[in-house]
Amino acid sequence: MPAQPDLEQRVVRRYRNALRPAAENLPSDLSSFMPGAGGSTYEEDKSWAAGALHKQRVPRSRILHASMQHCSHKMANVVDHLAAIASVLELDPLRPYSPTSLARVAVEAATGLRYLLDTSVDPEERFLRAAALLMESFHYEVKATRELPVDRYPGVADGVEERLAKLVEQVTRSGLDVKVQPVSRQPSGIRWTTTASYRSVPPAKVTDLVRVTFADYPALYQMGSGVAHSMSWMLDDNARLPEDGGEAVVYAGDAYTTGAAVISAIASAEVVLSAFGRYMGHDPEPKLVLYRRRREAMDTFMNGYAASRMRSVGRL
């Protein structure tokens, strides 16, 4: 079908036009939420830390500050990966896999931010989540540095473990109880000293959080992970036999799979804007409208595109 390449080019152009404004505007839209407004959840958390027992005030404030830095990193990660997807969409021919794996990073970062800045829970719960995810980050840094050759990187792993121990000490002084594994010395449980049972570190699985955060897009995390971990069930669709009858497999981008990546990337931007804006005491809705319209238009367009493809091969 000679018209097919032109159709795919028009489709990809539609994707670029949908994603580029989101990628370009997200940094400034987030920056517009930076000043804490009166009555914000951000101010509530700071007041909660300042109103604690004298010995708990400093460690709580330090952990909250570190968690906000953690959130800033997550937002920067989303911004960076949206820009990367926009850049990849400019390439010709269309890349088969990278849009999906890049979008998967944005999805996970946005989900983590929403979990940390959840305005529907109390300050105690947000603080516990913050402390647990900070310790989890150190846990993976410890695992990574332990694999470094000691002769080439002397003291690196010891330094990270020392920083983790100091964080655990800060968390304990803040009023939380941390269960530490006796051999590895890694945190495995966390609870308030007034509660009976420990919660795991981290307290929730990423797969479960993504399922809730992106409820309109089932199996989103699994599909992104399928590409990121090079699973055949996700890679097969972009492996095709060449039209000239040759035996070598051709790897080509698919407009439908790429569209799904673009939609999830825009949805990630919406999650970040909503979570950060509400936490800082702003109404994010005026900013969200344009992102939502682009994403919903993409949803409608992709459904129509899929139907046209099915009709072209006599399957609809």
Side-chain angles (χ1 to χ4, degrees):
M1 292 172 33
Q4 194 60 41
D6 291 336
L7 173 62
E8 294 229 346
Q9 288 174 11
R10 291 200 302 273
V11 170
V12 173
R13 191 156 51 242
R14 183 72 173 262
Y15 296 166
R16 292 192 195 113
N17 293 339
L19 181 63
R20 190 183 297 114
E24 292 176 351
N25 295 335
L26 184 57
S28 59
D29 285 343
L30 287 170
S31 295
S32 70
F33 295 147
M34 291 301 287
S40 68
T41 307
Y42 171 68
E43 293 294 338
E44 179 186 3
D45 283 347
K46 292 203 301 181
S47 297
W48 172 82
L53 296 175
H54 181 73
K55 64 180 181 181
Q56 297 173 342
R57 290 174 193 167
V58 172
R60 287 188 183 187
S61 295
R62 286 177 177 172
I63 290 168
L64 283 177
H65 178 73
S67 181
M68 287 306 297
Q69 286 184 319
H70 191 185
C71 290
S72 177
H73 300 338
K74 288 182 180 295
M75 288 187 285
N77 210 12
V78 173
V79 168
D80 184 59
H81 281 77
L82 259 66
I85 299 170
S87 297
V88 168
L89 291 180
E90 298 291 339
L91 301 176
D92 187 23
L94 185 64
R95 295 304 187 261
Y97 302 124
S98 55
T100 300
S101 54
L102 289 167
R104 188 249 195 190
V105 175
V107 164
E108 187 168 344
T111 298
L113 182 81
R114 181 177 181 270
Y115 182 66
L116 284 169
L117 302 184
D118 187 356
T119 57
S120 69
V121 299
D122 57 29
E124 288 82 1
E125 173 62 18
R126 279 191 298 273
F127 185 82
L128 183 145
R129 294 178 182 183
L133 293 187
L134 288 171
M135 290 191 295
E136 181 197 26
S137 177
F138 267 111
H139 164 70
Y140 284 109
E141 187 177 1
V142 168
K143 288 182 67 175
T145 54
R146 279 178 177 168
E147 295 186 13
L148 296 175
V150 177
D151 58 332
R152 292 170 56 189
Y153 302 94
V156 173
D158 292 340
V160 175
E161 290 188 21
E162 183 179 334
R163 286 162 54 208
L164 173 57
K166 288 181 178 179
L167 174 60
V168 171
E169 180 186 358
Q170 290 283 327
V171 172
T172 301
R173 289 174 55 202
S174 74
L176 287 163
D177 184 20
V178 180
K179 181 192 294 184
V180 177
Q181 293 297 318
V183 177
S184 66
R185 304 305 300 163
Q186 298 301 301
S188 61
I190 188 170
R191 68 178 181 183
W192 286 104
T193 54
T194 54
T195 60
S197 58
Y198 285 95
R199 294 167 63 184
S200 61
V201 176
K205 294 181 179 179
V206 173
T207 51
D208 294 334
L209 294 175
V210 171
R211 190 179 300 115
V212 173
T213 304
F214 294 87
D216 291 337
Y217 300 102
L220 177 63
Y221 187 78
Q222 286 78 4
M223 288 189 288
S225 296
V227 175
H229 298 299
S230 296
M231 299 293 179
S232 286
W233 72 275
M234 274 300 295
L235 304 184
D236 283 346
D237 288 346
N238 296 92
R240 305 162 188 171
L241 293 175
E243 295 180 359
D244 61 8
E247 296 182 358
V249 175
V250 174
Y251 293 91
D254 176 79
Y256 196 74
T257 304
T258 303
V262 170
I263 286 175
S264 61
I266 297 174
S268 298
E270 291 178 64
V271 170
V272 167
L273 279 169
S274 179
F276 186 62
R278 294 185 197 287
Y279 182 76
M280 298 301 287
H282 298 267
D283 177 10
E285 191 59 29
K287 302 286 187 184
L288 287 171
V289 169
L290 292 178
Y291 292 81
R292 187 182 303 117
R293 285 177 180 170
R294 293 188 190 103
R295 176 177 53 80
E296 290 175 348
M298 280 284 296
D299 267 330
T300 302
F301 176 75
M302 279 190 61
N303 287 333
Y305 172 71
S308 70
R309 290 291 300 270
M310 295 288 279
R311 281 192 293 268
S312 72
V313 295
R315 296 179 64 183
L316 188 67

